[in-house]
Amino acid sequence: MSKIRKVMGLAAALVFTMVMLPAAAFADTTQYDLFINGEQFTSEKLTIECGEGTATYDPATQTLALNNASIANAAGYGGIDSKLANDLTITLQGDNYITFDDDMGIMASGNVEIQGPGSLTINVAGENMDGMSVAGDVSVRATNLAVNAPGGIGIASDGTVSLDNAQVKSAALYAGIDAINLFIENGSVVDISAAEDSCNAAFISPRGGATGGNIRISNSSIVAKSVYPGLFAGGNLTISGASVQSTSTADAALWARGDLSIGGNAHVTLDGKYPSGCKGNFTVYAAEIDAKNTNDENIPALFDSPVIGGDYDLTCAIAVDSEGTTIDLIEHDGIEQAKGFLHLYKNIHFVTGEKSATYSFPFTKVVKKGGDIAPKSQEFELEIFNVGVGQIEDYADVTVTANVTTNGAGEYEGLLTIQGPKSQVRDITCEGFCVREKNTGMANWTYSDAVYQIFCYEYEIATDGQSATQSSYDIFPVQLVETDNGTFYEKTQDTPVASMTFENVYTEKAAPAANDKPATDNKPAASTKPAENNKPAAGNIPQTGDSSALAIKFAVLLMAAGALTVAIAAKKMRKGHDVR
């Protein structure tokens, strides 16, 4: 029995001890597939010291926050090594550094986004050591990133590299950026380079069966320099509203296997040993291009002459031939001929701008006299509203004129003219627009309430094997109509009119002439007033000559008095009856 009691006592003591242990002693520690500075994040350790700074991980959002971190250790490959299945977001506070003599900067098996007000500098040495090696996409947004990888690739991605309002510098051996697609936009400033022979500062090409190979640079600035083309696109290369400097020390400055498109007032500077261009269609819209061939041989700067977009034209084309002679191609050959000569010279500088478009619409001003005075000289003006896209106030580069000066009653002919960049004029007129007279409130004038709607059309005609764009229009009178969906202008007839008509009436009245006013000295003569002694004397009734008239008057008065007495008596009798 004593042994049994002893065992039971030990068991009770063990149960008591287990009850008293904290719950954390039984909890499992979660390990996250994210390493930094040689340590792994766990549920027990979400902040890791990195030099004098820190790295903090939020597993709920998979966000890694670097705050003045200095990373110089690695558990395997990479100062930051992410095997997370989902995206990793890296936010930057302060100045952060990843520095290695023989290791990677950042390794990731998924997508990586870098953002924040701070900066990150990656310096990695060693053969084939990349600054960033990411299996997914890389996004750098509104932050500063500098990469130096003299033995490998600066930013290597098996997806798309997107630089959005970012400051990025990437210098490497094989490529500053190597990815399937490259998008640079929203004011980014980018400087990329590659030092190895036969390599590109930006090598953008599809791989592993994925489609891509496209470079798109918009509203940003980029400098690319390498031995082979500074910018190489296995697909299409599009530059819009950007500043691009691309240099090759041994080949074409820039090359695309697909289409090459430059516009949006981009400024492109090309410097190479062989012609720049593409295998697809080379199209230039609004742009300034300065292409130079530094080869000792007489080799042109461009592979083929670009097609100038339909709404655009050459405004400047200056060439330098192999003998160093400068030629103004437009002055020498004319615009149309010059377009076909842009690819024939070692140095070519040309500028394209949007064509101007002009529409003119007739109107008639009818002036009528509606008062005593002939209409005076007056200027009238029309205005347009309900334009196709936006408001007319949005088009600062478009000029609208519709003035006519009249001088007296009659009919006056005028023109409403819309002139400006072709695309903007097209936007104004594309869905029709309305015209009315502007009421300037001049005295004595009535203004027309007529409103017209104009529809414009463009069509192609062929002449001598070439096509040209022509335009036409229809003018309809309209009126404001209320519908279940609102108030709109609708046609008052189905047949267009040849011209708009606006009628004005001048209504000024003449002042009365001086001799039409009553004379102030023509007062009635004093002798015309009745004399005081001519008034009838009191009690003297004038004799009319008819003595019976006076008797009749007295008889009428007596009859009226009798009727009044009877009425009063009747009233008293009714009153007495009512009381009873």
Side-chain angles (χ1 to χ4, degrees):
M1 292 294 294
S2 61
K3 289 183 179 180
I4 293 175
R5 290 195 201 96
K6 185 176 182 180
V7 170
M8 292 178 65
L10 289 173
L14 180 60
V15 168
F16 177 79
T17 302
M18 293 178 68
V19 169
M20 295 302 295
L21 284 174
F26 300 97
D28 291 331
T29 299
T30 302
Q31 294 182 329
Y32 302 109
D33 288 332
L34 179 63
F35 299 79
I36 190 167
N37 205 30
E39 295 188 58
Q40 184 176 14
F41 286 104
T42 68
S43 55
E44 295 299 308
K45 191 169 190 178
L46 293 176
T47 297
I48 295 174
E49 292 185 1
C50 299
E52 296 183 357
T54 59
T56 302
Y57 179 59
D58 179 359
T61 60
Q62 293 200 170
T63 298
L64 174 63
L66 303 183
N67 191 344
N68 292 309
S70 293
I71 301 167
N73 300 306
Y77 276 112
I80 299 175
D81 185 3
S82 172
K83 298 180 177 62
L84 297 171
N86 296 320
D87 301 349
L88 172 65
T89 299
I90 300 175
T91 62
L92 305 176
Q93 294 286 340
D95 298 325
N96 301 276
Y97 298 90
I98 300 176
T99 307
F100 286 107
D101 290 333
D102 190 17
D103 210 326
M104 300 277 193
I106 297 176
M107 291 279 292
S109 58
N111 301 328
V112 174
E113 178 172 324
I114 302 175
Q115 61 180 20
S119 66
L120 174 61
T121 301
I122 302 174
N123 287 299
V124 292
E127 186 176 355
N128 296 321
M129 294 301 172
D130 300 335
M132 294 181 64
S133 182
V134 178
D137 299 333
V138 174
S139 300
V140 183
R141 304 186 188 282
T143 193
N144 291 269
L145 173 65
V147 181
N148 183 35
I153 298 171
I155 301 173
S157 168
D158 289 334
T160 295
V161 171
S162 299
L163 309 180
D164 184 350
N165 188 28
Q167 308 280 323
V168 176
K169 183 173 183 178
S170 182
L173 180 64
Y174 301 116
I177 298 176
D178 183 324
I180 290 179
N181 295 295
L182 173 61
F183 302 145
I184 302 172
E185 55 193 354
N186 294 331
S188 293
V189 178
V190 180
D191 186 339
I192 53 177
S193 60
E196 181 67 4
D197 190 20
S198 304
C199 290
N200 312 96
F203 179 76
I204 310 300
S205 179
R207 64 204 68 176
T211 60
N214 302 312
I215 298 177
R216 185 177 70 233
I217 306 168
S218 61
N219 301 314
S220 297
S221 176
I222 181 171
V223 175
K225 184 176 181 179
S226 51
V227 179
Y228 267 31
L231 297 174
F232 173 81
N236 301 323
L237 199 164
T238 303
I239 301 171
S240 178
S243 173
V244 175
Q245 298 180 48
S246 189
T247 301
S248 169
T249 58
D251 206 281
L254 170 152
W255 188 258
R257 286 181 179 165
D259 297 335
L260 172 60
S261 175
I262 303 175
N265 294 312
H267 190 173
V268 178
T269 302
L270 305 175
D271 191 331
K273 298 282 187 181
Y274 286 90
S276 296
C278 64
K279 283 188 175 181
N281 298 316
F282 182 9
T283 308
V284 175
Y285 301 97
E288 181 175 359
I289 299 177
D290 192 352
K292 181 188 297 184
N293 192 310
T294 56
N295 201 312
D296 293 335
E297 299 180 13
N298 186 21
I299 299 174
L302 298 179
F303 178 75
D304 199 0
S305 193
V307 173
I308 309 301
D311 289 345
Y312 301 85
D313 225 335
L314 276 179
T315 60
C316 172
I318 306 297
V320 178
D321 63 17
S322 59
E323 298 177 355
T325 303
T326 300
I327 306 169
D328 186 327
L329 296 181
I330 294 178
E331 183 179 297
H332 188 269
D333 303 302
I335 291 178
E336 292 306 316
Q337 291 288 338
K339 291 178 182 178
F341 297 158
L342 300 176
H343 67 302
L344 301 179
Y345 298 90
K346 285 180 65 67
N347 297 342
I348 182 69
H349 176 85
F350 65 95
V351 180
T352 57
E354 189 171 4
K355 291 179 180 178
S356 179
T358 302
Y359 274 112
S360 293
F361 312 96
F363 69 90
T364 301
K365 172 60 61 181
V366 178
V367 174
K368 292 184 177 181
K369 178 183 175 182
D372 302 322
I373 298 177
K376 300 176 181 179
S377 176
Q378 182 63 47
E379 183 181 46
F380 295 95
E381 184 179 357
L382 306 183
E383 62 182 357
I384 68 175
F385 64 104
N386 281 10
V387 299
V389 178
Q391 305 295 325
I392 188 62
E393 293 78 14
D394 301 334
Y395 297 93
D397 297 331
V398 175
T399 301
V400 179
T401 56
N403 302 71
V404 65
T405 300
T406 65
N407 190 12
E411 294 187 0
Y412 300 85
E413 304 300 324
L415 283 177
L416 165 65
T417 301
I418 303 174
Q419 185 175 37
K422 192 171 182 179
S423 63
Q424 295 186 37
V425 172
R426 182 183 291 120
D427 285 346
I428 291 172
T429 61
C430 64
E431 297 178 6
F433 61 95
C434 291
V435 183
R436 65 190 170 199
E437 185 175 54
K438 186 181 290 186
N439 188 335
T440 56
M442 295 300 296
N444 301 315
W445 284 100
T446 63
Y447 288 85
S448 174
D449 59 1
V451 179
Y452 294 87
Q453 191 169 22
I454 301 178
F455 298 91
C456 300
Y457 312 96
E458 288 187 351
Y459 57 93
E460 297 287 331
I461 62 171
T463 304
D464 299 330
Q466 296 183 345
S467 63
T469 301
Q470 299 292 322
S471 61
S472 64
Y473 58 84
D474 288 329
I475 303 174
F476 293 92
V478 295
Q479 65 181 4
L480 206 56
V481 176
E482 290 188 6
T483 70
D484 293 338
N485 297 321
T487 304
F488 303 95
Y489 282 98
E490 293 186 357
K491 299 176 186 178
T492 59
Q493 62 187 55
D494 294 330
T495 305
V497 297
S499 176
M500 297 175 284
T501 301
F502 301 91
E503 182 179 295
N504 301 86
V505 180
Y506 191 67
T507 60
E508 185 176 2
K509 299 288 185 180
N515 56 5
D516 291 339
K517 297 179 180 179
T520 57
D521 56 350
N522 293 335
K523 298 180 180 179
S527 60
T528 61
K529 295 181 179 180
E532 292 294 331
N533 55 7
N534 291 334
K535 295 180 180 179
N540 295 329
I541 299 174
Q543 299 299 314
T544 63
D546 186 357
S547 59
S548 63
L550 183 59
I552 293 172
K553 290 181 179 178
F554 279 113
V556 171
L557 289 173
L558 290 172
M559 292 174 64
L564 179 61
T565 302
V566 173
I568 292 172
K571 185 174 182 181
K572 289 181 178 180
M573 291 176 65
R574 285 197 298 271
K575 185 175 182 181
H577 176 77
D578 290 341
V579 171
R580 288 186 304 189

